[in-house]
Amino acid sequence: MSDLYARESRSVSKMAHLRFFPQAVVGGSGAYLTGDDGRQLLDFAASWGAVSLGHSHPAVREAVNRALSDQAGASYLSTANESCVLLAEKLLSLVPERARGRVWFGHSGSDANETVARMVVAATGRPRILAFSGAYHGGTVGSMAVSGHPAQQGARAEGLTLVPYPNSYAAGSPEAAKDTALAHLERLFATEVPPEEVAAFFIEPIQSDGGMLVPPDGYFKAVEGLCRKHGILLVSDEVKVGLGRSGRFNAFEHSGIEPDIVVFGKGLGGGLPISAVVGPEAIMNHAVAFSLQTVHGNPVCAAAALAVLRAIEHDHLVENAERTGTVLRKALDRLAARQTLIGNVRGRGLALGVELVTDRVSREPAARQTALTVYRAFQLGLVLYYVGVRSNVLEFTPPLTLTESQAQEGVAILDQALADVAAARVDESLLAAFAGW
Ligand SMILES: *Cc1c(COP(=O)(O)O)cnc(C)c1O
């Protein structure tokens, strides 16, 4: 364990920790982090996708430098600033027509989803909200209240109903997963959840923290139809998988749907804290002074976000996510043919998941092996974390700038890590201080 990691434990609280191994870094460039021991670590997590362009991206650095050299305040609460206006105009051009109204800015996916949850109820007068079991919409009281992830230590909202996310692997086929999930929803609408009382349905176009679940074809199209029929607002939480990561600019585009409200976060600031909600004018302007924190609309963070969106466009990063994601996916598929711990490889673009099982027939989750695998990969020079309601899905959210050779390099390390875990060459006591989630 490095000195920096040990020192941290004597000064920094653990309450925000979600640790998988003793990682301590002092810098980074592109897809690599620099460990405090001088090691170069290939970063397949990118701080849960937040470092969307990779570390120290020149465009973000330049935008931040410029914004701080002539600083237009620190907030949009009581003044307009140019970066926020430019960013809002840009975001409006990137969502479907029905969402093209106004933009609200926050710091995080959590405050954005919390704001949406309060806003849809206040603006429509309908008391209920739908979301998915396993959904992670944030870590504040109000965003946990509309989430369904079992690792969260917070109460759910009184008006919340959780519905199952279709899981093609667990159900045996996409069709079975889709039919079961839709039947559940229709039964709810016919019984305990009167649809005319539902303000909004929060969806993750790919359920990332719940296990990187890709929805079956046609599922969200049917959900959209039900929402339209009953006047329910469809909210797409694009926080982790949006902004190009899935191989389309918006991840909901894969399902051919048009949400009413789109939530952006994580990668939007390229590593700086900023989030955005985009939605219809009547909803977004239903009140003033409704959801605000002092440095919301920070012009430095907004400038970083503008640079991120421009780089995604100019450097064709959506296409890169698709192309490099395919290379990564194929390499993982080849790994699955050799490594029996791998039960399923799934995802889209550079949002990929590998589910580890102890037995391919029973599909028993291999949670302990998953924790050991990410630990071993870290020892070998690769950073990746795991997700899933049963803690057994390796998550791949590398920078959108990842190259094909970096994709291959990471898979080679993972190959070794899996082999070491399968052969019981990794000391289990290493996990004692790393509960993960
Ligand atoms: C991470 C995440 C959030 C919360 O974002 P924070 O920046 O952690 O507040 C919300 N929704 C999804 C889908 C996420 O992955």
Side-chain angles (χ1 to χ4, degrees):
M1 197 182 283
S2 76
D3 184 42
L4 182 58
Y5 200 86
R7 265 175 58 208
E8 188 213 43
S9 68
R10 294 192 288 271
S11 54
V12 178
S13 157
K14 289 182 180 180
M15 280 195 290
H17 282 189
L18 186 51
R19 299 286 170 91
F20 303 92
F21 33 76
Q23 183 184 198
V25 297
V26 294
S29 175
Y32 295 88
L33 285 163
T34 309
D36 79 327
D37 52 4
R39 288 198 303 150
Q40 289 294 298
L41 302 162
L42 179 56
D43 189 3
F44 271 15
S47 299
W48 298 97
V51 193
S52 46
L53 304 188
H55 304 279
S56 307
H57 192 282
V60 176
R61 202 164 56 203
E62 204 217 320
V64 167
N65 279 343
R66 209 170 341 105
L68 268 177
S69 308
D70 192 9
Q71 194 180 348
S75 161
Y76 80 148
L77 267 48
S78 306
T79 175
N81 72 67
E82 192 182 27
S83 298
C84 278
V85 174
L86 289 171
L87 180 58
E89 289 168 353
K90 185 70 194 167
L91 287 171
L92 287 170
S93 75
L94 293 166
V95 299
E97 180 70 38
R98 60 189 302 119
R100 207 168 291 157
R102 297 290 185 276
V103 182
W104 173 94
F105 292 113
H107 295 316
S108 65
S110 302
D111 66 7
N113 283 316
E114 174 166 332
T115 295
V116 174
R118 291 175 51 222
M119 169 183 84
V120 292
V121 170
T124 66
R126 296 180 174 200
R128 293 177 182 273
I129 285 177
L130 291 175
F132 287 108
S133 305
Y136 189 93
H137 294 300
T140 59
V141 169
S143 56
M144 272 194 280
V146 294
S147 295
H149 200 288
Q152 292 176 311
Q153 301 165 36
R156 306 300 180 209
E158 218 176 286
L160 179 74
T161 302
L162 294 173
V163 301
Y165 199 98
N167 182 332
S168 302
Y169 179 58
S173 78
E175 294 71 32
K178 176 182 136 183
D179 293 346
T180 313
L182 282 175
H184 185 99
L185 191 57
E186 282 165 357
R187 193 170 58 244
L188 275 180
F189 281 163
T191 55
E192 69 235 54
V193 182
E196 66 280 3
E197 292 180 9
V198 179
F201 193 165
F202 278 72
I203 69 160
E204 282 179 272
I206 296 173
Q207 189 178 79
S208 35
D209 288 339
M212 208 50 106
L213 302 176
V214 177
D217 284 349
Y219 172 72
F220 275 128
K221 198 71 201 162
V223 167
E224 179 187 53
L226 288 170
C227 287
R228 295 279 190 275
K229 182 173 156 198
H230 299 297
I232 297 167
L233 295 164
L234 193 55
V235 180
S236 188
D237 181 345
E238 298 276 322
V239 170
K240 194 187 275 180
V241 296
L243 300 171
R245 175 165 300 285
S246 74
R248 302 273 180 89
F249 184 81
N250 295 298
F252 60 75
E253 292 168 28
H254 294 279
S255 299
I257 58 169
E258 299 201 339
D260 301 276
I261 294 167
V262 186
V263 182
F264 297 109
K266 287 199 170 89
L268 180 60
L272 272 74
I274 183 165
S275 60
V277 176
V278 191
E281 200 265 344
I283 309 274
M284 301 296 296
N285 277 347
H286 82 286
V288 296
F290 177 80
S291 177
L292 53 101
Q293 293 177 42
T294 306
V295 295
H296 273 174
N298 183 285
V300 180
C301 297
L306 265 175
V308 167
L309 294 178
R310 285 182 183 138
I312 288 173
E313 208 167 295
H314 294 162
D315 301 342
H316 307 291
L317 296 182
V318 182
E319 294 78 5
N320 190 63
E322 171 64 35
R323 194 175 49 247
T324 311
T326 302
V327 169
L328 183 54
R329 169 75 187 260
K330 286 188 174 152
L332 292 169
D333 282 335
R334 283 195 297 276
L335 212 58
R338 278 205 312 284
Q339 300 284 358
T340 53
L341 271 171
I342 297 180
N344 189 232
V345 178
R346 53 184 179 249
R348 285 185 163 132
L350 286 172
L352 297 172
V354 171
E355 179 160 349
L356 301 189
V357 294
T358 56
D359 178 296
R360 282 183 175 172
V361 178
S362 70
R363 298 171 189 178
E364 256 338 280
R368 189 176 47 83
Q369 291 88 337
T370 305
L372 285 170
T373 299
V374 298
Y375 199 110
R376 182 64 184 143
F378 166 70
Q379 291 180 320
L380 296 169
L382 175 69
V383 173
L384 86 166
Y385 308 137
Y386 62 82
V387 295
V389 294
R390 299 188 301 178
S391 310
N392 68 325
V393 181
L394 304 171
E395 186 184 68
F396 299 75
T397 55
L400 303 179
T401 49
L402 194 78
T403 64
E404 295 183 6
S405 71
Q406 289 164 347
Q408 304 287 9
E409 180 190 341
V411 174
I413 295 175
L414 179 61
D415 191 9
Q416 182 65 52
L418 284 165
D420 289 346
V421 171
R425 285 191 293 263
V426 188
D427 177 4
E428 302 218 4
S429 70
L430 290 171
L431 297 181
F434 299 94
W437 63 337

mmCIF file of all heavy atoms in Angstrom, residues 48 50 107-113 135-140 143 147 203-209 237-241 263 265-266 274-275 395, ligand 1:
data_model
loop_
_atom_site.group_PDB
_atom_site.id
_atom_site.type_symbol
_atom_site.label_atom_id
_atom_site.label_comp_id
_atom_site.label_asym_id
_atom_site.label_seq_id
_atom_site.Cartn_x
_atom_site.Cartn_y
_atom_site.Cartn_z
ATOM 1 N N TRP A 48 -15.643 6.669 -13.221
ATOM 2 C CA TRP A 48 -17.044 6.293 -13.498
ATOM 3 C C TRP A 48 -17.583 7.001 -14.738
ATOM 4 O O TRP A 48 -18.776 7.294 -14.832
ATOM 5 C CB TRP A 48 -17.937 6.576 -12.273
ATOM 6 C CG TRP A 48 -17.545 5.785 -11.076
ATOM 7 C CD1 TRP A 48 -16.755 6.216 -10.043
ATOM 8 C CD2 TRP A 48 -17.878 4.416 -10.782
ATOM 9 N NE1 TRP A 48 -16.576 5.181 -9.122
ATOM 10 C CE2 TRP A 48 -17.259 4.088 -9.548
ATOM 11 C CE3 TRP A 48 -18.643 3.441 -11.441
ATOM 12 C CZ2 TRP A 48 -17.379 2.820 -8.964
ATOM 13 C CZ3 TRP A 48 -18.760 2.186 -10.844
ATOM 14 C CH2 TRP A 48 -18.135 1.890 -9.630
ATOM 15 N N ALA A 50 -16.686 10.020 -15.800
ATOM 16 C CA ALA A 50 -16.676 11.489 -15.719
ATOM 17 C C ALA A 50 -15.563 12.106 -16.563
ATOM 18 O O ALA A 50 -15.733 13.189 -17.141
ATOM 19 C CB ALA A 50 -16.531 11.938 -14.264
ATOM 20 N N HIS A 107 -24.690 20.566 -10.430
ATOM 21 C CA HIS A 107 -23.304 20.117 -10.237
ATOM 22 C C HIS A 107 -23.110 18.641 -10.561
ATOM 23 O O HIS A 107 -21.990 18.195 -10.780
ATOM 24 C CB HIS A 107 -22.883 20.258 -8.768
ATOM 25 C CG HIS A 107 -22.837 21.657 -8.268
ATOM 26 N ND1 HIS A 107 -22.289 22.693 -8.989
ATOM 27 C CD2 HIS A 107 -23.255 22.197 -7.104
ATOM 28 C CE1 HIS A 107 -22.381 23.799 -8.290
ATOM 29 N NE2 HIS A 107 -22.970 23.538 -7.144
ATOM 30 N N SER A 108 -24.188 17.873 -10.448
ATOM 31 C CA SER A 108 -24.024 16.418 -10.454
ATOM 32 C C SER A 108 -25.279 15.741 -10.983
ATOM 33 O O SER A 108 -26.355 16.362 -11.048
ATOM 34 C CB SER A 108 -23.772 15.932 -9.021
ATOM 35 O OG SER A 108 -24.923 16.167 -8.228
ATOM 36 N N GLY A 109 -25.134 14.486 -11.323
ATOM 37 C CA GLY A 109 -26.304 13.704 -11.715
ATOM 38 C C GLY A 109 -27.320 13.675 -10.587
ATOM 39 O O GLY A 109 -28.537 13.685 -10.806
ATOM 40 N N SER A 110 -26.830 13.650 -9.354
ATOM 41 C CA SER A 110 -27.718 13.578 -8.195
ATOM 42 C C SER A 110 -28.601 14.816 -8.076
ATOM 43 O O SER A 110 -29.819 14.697 -7.934
ATOM 44 C CB SER A 110 -26.893 13.432 -6.911
ATOM 45 O OG SER A 110 -26.077 12.297 -6.960
ATOM 46 N N ASP A 111 -27.998 15.997 -8.114
ATOM 47 C CA ASP A 111 -28.850 17.187 -7.938
ATOM 48 C C ASP A 111 -29.764 17.381 -9.148
ATOM 49 O O ASP A 111 -30.879 17.905 -9.024
ATOM 50 C CB ASP A 111 -28.057 18.445 -7.540
ATOM 51 C CG ASP A 111 -27.098 18.984 -8.597
ATOM 52 O OD1 ASP A 111 -27.097 18.476 -9.729
ATOM 53 O OD2 ASP A 111 -26.338 19.920 -8.280
ATOM 54 N N ALA A 112 -29.307 16.921 -10.317
ATOM 55 C CA ALA A 112 -30.153 17.037 -11.517
ATOM 56 C C ALA A 112 -31.381 16.127 -11.404
ATOM 57 O O ALA A 112 -32.518 16.569 -11.606
ATOM 58 C CB ALA A 112 -29.339 16.682 -12.759
ATOM 59 N N ASN A 113 -31.168 14.859 -11.041
ATOM 60 C CA ASN A 113 -32.310 13.945 -10.927
ATOM 61 C C ASN A 113 -33.228 14.327 -9.772
ATOM 62 O O ASN A 113 -34.450 14.183 -9.868
ATOM 63 C CB ASN A 113 -31.818 12.498 -10.772
ATOM 64 C CG ASN A 113 -31.359 11.917 -12.100
ATOM 65 O OD1 ASN A 113 -32.023 12.080 -13.119
ATOM 66 N ND2 ASN A 113 -30.221 11.254 -12.106
ATOM 67 N N ALA A 135 -31.951 0.794 -10.387
ATOM 68 C CA ALA A 135 -31.557 2.082 -10.977
ATOM 69 C C ALA A 135 -30.744 2.906 -9.989
ATOM 70 O O ALA A 135 -31.081 2.969 -8.807
ATOM 71 C CB ALA A 135 -32.799 2.874 -11.381
ATOM 72 N N TYR A 136 -29.696 3.546 -10.482
ATOM 73 C CA TYR A 136 -28.936 4.499 -9.664
ATOM 74 C C TYR A 136 -29.141 5.880 -10.252
ATOM 75 O O TYR A 136 -28.643 6.184 -11.334
ATOM 76 C CB TYR A 136 -27.438 4.153 -9.643
ATOM 77 C CG TYR A 136 -26.692 4.989 -8.632
ATOM 78 C CD1 TYR A 136 -26.490 4.541 -7.327
ATOM 79 C CD2 TYR A 136 -26.220 6.257 -8.965
ATOM 80 C CE1 TYR A 136 -25.837 5.328 -6.399
ATOM 81 C CE2 TYR A 136 -25.570 7.050 -8.033
ATOM 82 C CZ TYR A 136 -25.378 6.578 -6.745
ATOM 83 O OH TYR A 136 -24.735 7.361 -5.817
ATOM 84 N N HIS A 137 -29.899 6.720 -9.558
ATOM 85 C CA HIS A 137 -30.116 8.090 -10.046
ATOM 86 C C HIS A 137 -29.415 9.125 -9.175
ATOM 87 O O HIS A 137 -29.539 10.326 -9.443
ATOM 88 C CB HIS A 137 -31.615 8.391 -10.150
ATOM 89 C CG HIS A 137 -32.318 7.566 -11.198
ATOM 90 N ND1 HIS A 137 -31.968 7.602 -12.538
ATOM 91 C CD2 HIS A 137 -33.323 6.661 -11.103
ATOM 92 C CE1 HIS A 137 -32.745 6.765 -13.221
ATOM 93 N NE2 HIS A 137 -33.569 6.182 -12.378
ATOM 94 N N GLY A 138 -28.715 8.699 -8.127
ATOM 95 C CA GLY A 138 -27.936 9.658 -7.362
ATOM 96 C C GLY A 138 -27.817 9.328 -5.893
ATOM 97 O O GLY A 138 -28.417 8.361 -5.405
ATOM 98 N N GLY A 139 -27.028 10.153 -5.198
ATOM 99 C CA GLY A 139 -26.700 9.889 -3.806
ATOM 100 C C GLY A 139 -27.205 10.938 -2.832
ATOM 101 O O GLY A 139 -26.823 10.927 -1.658
ATOM 102 N N THR A 140 -28.061 11.872 -3.293
ATOM 103 C CA THR A 140 -28.685 12.809 -2.360
ATOM 104 C C THR A 140 -30.038 12.244 -1.929
ATOM 105 O O THR A 140 -30.560 11.318 -2.557
ATOM 106 C CB THR A 140 -28.908 14.183 -3.027
ATOM 107 O OG1 THR A 140 -29.741 13.995 -4.181
ATOM 108 C CG2 THR A 140 -27.596 14.829 -3.445
ATOM 109 N N SER A 143 -32.562 12.230 -4.809
ATOM 110 C CA SER A 143 -32.271 11.365 -5.962
ATOM 111 C C SER A 143 -32.272 9.887 -5.551
ATOM 112 O O SER A 143 -32.696 9.024 -6.319
ATOM 113 C CB SER A 143 -30.940 11.750 -6.625
ATOM 114 O OG SER A 143 -29.878 11.732 -5.701
ATOM 115 N N SER A 147 -34.513 6.186 -6.789
ATOM 116 C CA SER A 147 -33.591 5.162 -7.278
ATOM 117 C C SER A 147 -34.031 3.785 -6.792
ATOM 118 O O SER A 147 -34.886 3.666 -5.916
ATOM 119 C CB SER A 147 -32.166 5.444 -6.766
ATOM 120 O OG SER A 147 -31.673 6.651 -7.306
ATOM 121 N N ILE A 203 -35.987 6.578 -16.697
ATOM 122 C CA ILE A 203 -35.345 5.402 -17.285
ATOM 123 C C ILE A 203 -33.835 5.600 -17.418
ATOM 124 O O ILE A 203 -33.356 6.727 -17.560
ATOM 125 C CB ILE A 203 -35.934 5.051 -18.676
ATOM 126 C CG1 ILE A 203 -35.562 6.117 -19.717
ATOM 127 C CG2 ILE A 203 -37.446 4.854 -18.603
ATOM 128 C CD1 ILE A 203 -35.677 5.637 -21.145
ATOM 129 N N GLU A 204 -33.121 4.502 -17.346
ATOM 130 C CA GLU A 204 -31.722 4.486 -17.769
ATOM 131 C C GLU A 204 -31.714 3.747 -19.105
ATOM 132 O O GLU A 204 -32.136 2.580 -19.160
ATOM 133 C CB GLU A 204 -30.849 3.719 -16.774
ATOM 134 C CG GLU A 204 -30.485 4.482 -15.522
ATOM 135 C CD GLU A 204 -29.626 3.628 -14.592
ATOM 136 O OE1 GLU A 204 -30.187 2.891 -13.770
ATOM 137 O OE2 GLU A 204 -28.399 3.687 -14.707
ATOM 138 N N PRO A 205 -31.291 4.389 -20.200
ATOM 139 C CA PRO A 205 -31.330 3.734 -21.509
ATOM 140 C C PRO A 205 -30.464 2.478 -21.574
ATOM 141 O O PRO A 205 -30.720 1.582 -22.382
ATOM 142 C CB PRO A 205 -30.819 4.814 -22.467
ATOM 143 C CG PRO A 205 -30.150 5.826 -21.618
ATOM 144 C CD PRO A 205 -30.745 5.754 -20.253
ATOM 145 N N ILE A 206 -29.443 2.422 -20.721
ATOM 146 C CA ILE A 206 -28.704 1.190 -20.398
ATOM 147 C C ILE A 206 -28.558 1.251 -18.889
ATOM 148 O O ILE A 206 -28.115 2.273 -18.364
ATOM 149 C CB ILE A 206 -27.297 1.167 -21.049
ATOM 150 C CG1 ILE A 206 -27.400 1.165 -22.575
ATOM 151 C CG2 ILE A 206 -26.497 -0.041 -20.566
ATOM 152 C CD1 ILE A 206 -26.049 1.325 -23.277
ATOM 153 N N GLN A 207 -28.984 0.195 -18.167
ATOM 154 C CA GLN A 207 -28.906 0.320 -16.705
ATOM 155 C C GLN A 207 -27.497 0.006 -16.228
ATOM 156 O O GLN A 207 -27.131 -1.163 -16.078
ATOM 157 C CB GLN A 207 -29.915 -0.590 -16.002
ATOM 158 C CG GLN A 207 -29.941 -0.270 -14.515
ATOM 159 C CD GLN A 207 -30.941 -1.094 -13.741
ATOM 160 O OE1 GLN A 207 -30.701 -2.241 -13.423
ATOM 161 N NE2 GLN A 207 -32.071 -0.498 -13.422
ATOM 162 N N SER A 208 -26.712 1.047 -15.970
ATOM 163 C CA SER A 208 -25.284 0.841 -15.750
ATOM 164 C C SER A 208 -24.958 0.310 -14.355
ATOM 165 O O SER A 208 -24.461 -0.808 -14.223
ATOM 166 C CB SER A 208 -24.507 2.106 -16.073
ATOM 167 O OG SER A 208 -25.225 3.263 -15.741
ATOM 168 N N ASP A 209 -25.229 1.061 -13.294
ATOM 169 C CA ASP A 209 -24.846 0.593 -11.964
ATOM 170 C C ASP A 209 -25.616 -0.665 -11.557
ATOM 171 O O ASP A 209 -25.173 -1.431 -10.706
ATOM 172 C CB ASP A 209 -25.039 1.698 -10.925
ATOM 173 C CG ASP A 209 -23.996 2.795 -11.077
ATOM 174 O OD1 ASP A 209 -22.935 2.527 -11.675
ATOM 175 O OD2 ASP A 209 -24.236 3.921 -10.616
ATOM 176 N N ASP A 237 -32.270 9.297 -18.140
ATOM 177 C CA ASP A 237 -31.069 9.597 -17.362
ATOM 178 C C ASP A 237 -29.861 9.152 -18.191
ATOM 179 O O ASP A 237 -29.508 7.974 -18.223
ATOM 180 C CB ASP A 237 -31.125 8.861 -16.022
ATOM 181 C CG ASP A 237 -29.905 9.149 -15.155
ATOM 182 O OD1 ASP A 237 -28.910 9.679 -15.686
ATOM 183 O OD2 ASP A 237 -29.947 8.831 -13.953
ATOM 184 N N GLU A 238 -29.243 10.138 -18.844
ATOM 185 C CA GLU A 238 -28.095 9.881 -19.724
ATOM 186 C C GLU A 238 -26.775 10.117 -18.989
ATOM 187 O O GLU A 238 -25.719 10.253 -19.626
ATOM 188 C CB GLU A 238 -28.164 10.818 -20.948
ATOM 189 C CG GLU A 238 -29.402 10.626 -21.820
ATOM 190 C CD GLU A 238 -29.242 9.498 -22.841
ATOM 191 O OE1 GLU A 238 -28.152 9.348 -23.399
ATOM 192 O OE2 GLU A 238 -30.235 8.773 -23.053
ATOM 193 N N VAL A 239 -26.850 10.212 -17.653
ATOM 194 C CA VAL A 239 -25.684 10.660 -16.885
ATOM 195 C C VAL A 239 -24.438 9.822 -17.170
ATOM 196 O O VAL A 239 -23.368 10.367 -17.426
ATOM 197 C CB VAL A 239 -26.016 10.718 -15.382
ATOM 198 C CG1 VAL A 239 -24.766 10.931 -14.544
ATOM 199 C CG2 VAL A 239 -27.028 11.829 -15.108
ATOM 200 N N LYS A 240 -24.572 8.496 -17.162
ATOM 201 C CA LYS A 240 -23.356 7.706 -17.394
ATOM 202 C C LYS A 240 -23.171 7.289 -18.846
ATOM 203 O O LYS A 240 -22.048 7.298 -19.350
ATOM 204 C CB LYS A 240 -23.327 6.451 -16.511
ATOM 205 C CG LYS A 240 -21.934 5.812 -16.496
ATOM 206 C CD LYS A 240 -21.876 4.494 -15.778
ATOM 207 C CE LYS A 240 -21.693 4.684 -14.289
ATOM 208 N NZ LYS A 240 -21.634 3.377 -13.589
ATOM 209 N N VAL A 241 -24.238 6.942 -19.516
ATOM 210 C CA VAL A 241 -24.072 6.329 -20.840
ATOM 211 C C VAL A 241 -24.337 7.293 -21.995
ATOM 212 O O VAL A 241 -24.182 6.919 -23.155
ATOM 213 C CB VAL A 241 -24.946 5.063 -20.983
ATOM 214 C CG1 VAL A 241 -24.504 3.995 -19.995
ATOM 215 C CG2 VAL A 241 -26.421 5.388 -20.802
ATOM 216 N N VAL A 263 -31.427 14.085 -18.928
ATOM 217 C CA VAL A 263 -30.527 14.464 -17.837
ATOM 218 C C VAL A 263 -29.092 14.100 -18.213
ATOM 219 O O VAL A 263 -28.804 12.953 -18.550
ATOM 220 C CB VAL A 263 -30.919 13.750 -16.523
ATOM 221 C CG1 VAL A 263 -30.010 14.193 -15.382
ATOM 222 C CG2 VAL A 263 -32.380 14.009 -16.184
ATOM 223 N N GLY A 265 -24.832 14.451 -17.091
ATOM 224 C CA GLY A 265 -23.942 14.679 -15.947
ATOM 225 C C GLY A 265 -22.600 14.049 -16.231
ATOM 226 O O GLY A 265 -22.160 14.013 -17.371
ATOM 227 N N LYS A 266 -21.983 13.524 -15.199
ATOM 228 C CA LYS A 266 -20.685 12.865 -15.292
ATOM 229 C C LYS A 266 -19.803 13.451 -16.402
ATOM 230 O O LYS A 266 -19.196 14.487 -16.209
ATOM 231 C CB LYS A 266 -20.863 11.357 -15.445
ATOM 232 C CG LYS A 266 -21.320 10.684 -14.143
ATOM 233 C CD LYS A 266 -21.071 9.182 -14.144
ATOM 234 C CE LYS A 266 -21.311 8.568 -12.766
ATOM 235 N NZ LYS A 266 -22.692 8.126 -12.540
ATOM 236 N N ILE A 274 -20.445 19.431 -13.384
ATOM 237 C CA ILE A 274 -21.584 20.144 -13.981
ATOM 238 C C ILE A 274 -22.574 19.107 -14.517
ATOM 239 O O ILE A 274 -22.177 18.056 -15.028
ATOM 240 C CB ILE A 274 -21.151 21.121 -15.112
ATOM 241 C CG1 ILE A 274 -22.373 21.883 -15.648
ATOM 242 C CG2 ILE A 274 -20.380 20.408 -16.216
ATOM 243 C CD1 ILE A 274 -22.033 23.100 -16.496
ATOM 244 N N SER A 275 -23.858 19.411 -14.348
ATOM 245 C CA SER A 275 -24.909 18.553 -14.889
ATOM 246 C C SER A 275 -25.951 19.444 -15.539
ATOM 247 O O SER A 275 -25.935 20.665 -15.351
ATOM 248 C CB SER A 275 -25.546 17.714 -13.778
ATOM 249 O OG SER A 275 -26.122 18.550 -12.787
ATOM 250 N N GLU A 395 -17.285 -3.308 -15.043
ATOM 251 C CA GLU A 395 -17.799 -2.198 -15.841
ATOM 252 C C GLU A 395 -16.673 -1.518 -16.627
ATOM 253 O O GLU A 395 -15.635 -1.184 -16.073
ATOM 254 C CB GLU A 395 -18.489 -1.160 -14.952
ATOM 255 C CG GLU A 395 -19.147 -0.075 -15.791
ATOM 256 C CD GLU A 395 -19.769 1.027 -14.968
ATOM 257 O OE1 GLU A 395 -19.016 1.789 -14.324
ATOM 258 O OE2 GLU A 395 -21.001 1.139 -14.969
HETATM 259 C C1 LIG B 1 -23.579 8.432 -11.458
HETATM 260 C C2 LIG B 1 -24.987 8.498 -11.862
HETATM 261 C C3 LIG B 1 -25.858 9.444 -11.313
HETATM 262 C C4 LIG B 1 -25.437 10.367 -10.206
HETATM 263 O O1 LIG B 1 -24.436 11.237 -10.622
HETATM 264 P P1 LIG B 1 -23.480 11.926 -9.535
HETATM 265 O O2 LIG B 1 -22.572 12.769 -10.343
HETATM 266 O O3 LIG B 1 -22.800 10.824 -8.797
HETATM 267 O O4 LIG B 1 -24.343 12.722 -8.645
HETATM 268 C C5 LIG B 1 -27.143 9.502 -11.800
HETATM 269 N N1 LIG B 1 -27.560 8.666 -12.766
HETATM 270 C C6 LIG B 1 -26.755 7.753 -13.317
HETATM 271 C C7 LIG B 1 -27.279 6.883 -14.413
HETATM 272 C C8 LIG B 1 -25.443 7.621 -12.888
HETATM 273 O O5 LIG B 1 -24.647 6.687 -13.407
#
